Amino acid sequence: MTSEVRFEPGLYQGTAGYYDRFRLPYPGPMLADLARRAAPSGRGRLLDLACGTGQLAFPLSGLFAEVWAVDAEPGMTDVVRAKALATAADHIQAITASAEDLRAEPGGFELVVIGNAFHRLRREEVAERARAWLGPGGCLALCWSTSPWAGPREWQRVLAGMLRTWQNALGAAERVPSGWDQARRRLPDHEVLSRAGFEPAGRHEFPVEHRWTIAELAGHVRSTSFLPPSVLASHAAEFDAGLTAVLSRHTADGRLTETVSFAYELARKPDSE
């Protein structure tokens, strides 16, 4: 297996409430397109690995008789359980486990989804396990969305610079391992899936324009692994004031506009297996 950078466990501790409120939902047209291509029977199981607070599990749940929402962070699965109870979604089961340690029967799922997290997992191991968990013809979807500080607009560059400054000032620069993306450049995700025995089924993109308030961006930052509430701690009010000071000059009607790139990469287990 290729050597991959390992992310420390617990990086998202304390972020679940912010994650649930401030992470942007995957767009309906993207999920509808995924459902059309994966073609679940309505009687099968969905596996949402590294599920967060259910950003994929809940909107896809109506297509499956059973949903496993799996995350290594207990705070995330606590939120999933509470949301499932509140919405009477008895077929959604929250499981606290890493993708690498999850125990599931072979061939037990029609679709496996991983949202904004494949790079944080041991990709080759998880891809092989996902193939084993899928029935013949089942699909794996790697779902993605871009971050607000990663775009070309001036306010995004300003935000990225401010976040780097705060990470360095609070000693949080190494929470995300340096060079984490090098393994993906050496061995792209689609090659990992191909080596694991998947057949490629295309990458499908769905850009969406979104308008942020500065308060929403502050909440979104708190949902991250690099500046969560535990890191901001007593500096939270100072951070919010600084965020407002540097971004307010870029707002129009109190908001900051970006084009969010949502996408999913689909791979299929051969029917012959």
Side-chain angles (χ1 to χ4, degrees):
M1 287 192 178
T2 301
S3 176
E4 304 230 20
V5 173
R6 299 293 174 88
F7 288 76
E8 292 296 322
L11 291 178
Y12 283 95
Q13 185 176 358
T15 67
Y18 294 98
Y19 202 102
D20 195 52
R21 182 177 176 186
F22 295 107
R23 289 289 174 128
L24 299 182
Y26 292 97
M30 171 177 150
L31 298 178
D33 189 74
L34 170 58
R36 179 178 64 83
R37 295 177 191 277
S41 68
R43 302 180 300 276
R45 281 182 185 163
L46 167 69
L47 175 57
D48 184 358
L49 286 176
C51 67
T53 57
Q55 281 70 23
L56 288 166
F58 283 96
L60 293 172
S61 64
L63 303 171
F64 297 89
E66 187 176 348
V67 176
W68 286 23
V70 178
D71 201 282
E73 171 52 50
M76 299 292 187
T77 49
D78 284 347
V79 172
V80 172
R81 289 188 191 95
K83 288 167 65 175
L85 181 63
T87 58
D90 299 335
H91 65 309
I92 299 179
Q93 179 182 1
I95 300 169
T96 306
S98 69
E100 295 85 355
D101 294 331
L102 178 69
R103 296 189 178 277
E105 63 184 277
F109 297 92
E110 290 186 342
L111 176 63
V112 177
V113 293
I114 305 174
N116 282 320
F118 193 49
H119 61 292
R120 291 176 173 267
L121 308 179
R122 298 201 293 272
R123 295 180 302 156
E124 291 172 281
E125 178 181 347
V126 170
E128 290 173 0
R129 302 190 89 208
R131 183 180 57 79
W133 291 329
L134 286 165
C139 290
L140 168 64
L142 305 181
C143 301
W144 304 101
S145 61
T146 50
S147 298
W149 48 84
R153 296 176 184 258
E154 178 62 22
W155 72 263
Q156 293 176 298
R157 292 193 289 268
V158 168
L159 175 59
M162 180 183 176
L163 296 179
R164 285 193 297 270
T165 297
W166 274 88
Q167 286 176 264
N168 291 331
L170 297 178
E174 299 304 318
R175 284 178 66 86
V176 175
S178 60
W180 63 267
D181 56 341
Q182 292 179 3
R184 293 181 75 201
R185 287 198 293 268
R186 290 193 300 268
L187 184 63
D189 292 340
H190 66 87
E191 291 189 23
V192 172
L193 301 183
S194 179
R195 288 187 180 189
F198 283 98
E199 298 173 344
R203 178 181 173 87
H204 310 281
E205 300 185 2
F206 297 82
V208 173
E209 186 176 279
H210 183 74
R211 301 177 73 230
W212 296 92
T213 66
I214 294 175
E216 287 168 345
L217 284 169
H220 187 88
V221 169
R222 286 164 167 82
S223 77
T224 68
S225 63
F226 57 85
L227 282 178
S230 60
V231 171
L232 289 174
S234 61
H235 300 280
E238 182 185 356
F239 172 82
D240 290 346
L243 191 69
T244 300
V246 300
L247 291 183
S248 59
R249 70 195 68 170
H250 299 281
T251 60
D253 298 325
R255 294 183 178 269
L256 298 150
T257 301
E258 71 156 326
T259 299
V260 185
S261 295
F262 291 94
Y264 72 93
E265 186 165 350
L266 192 65
R268 194 178 303 275
K269 180 175 179 175
D271 289 320
S272 58
E273 291 191 30

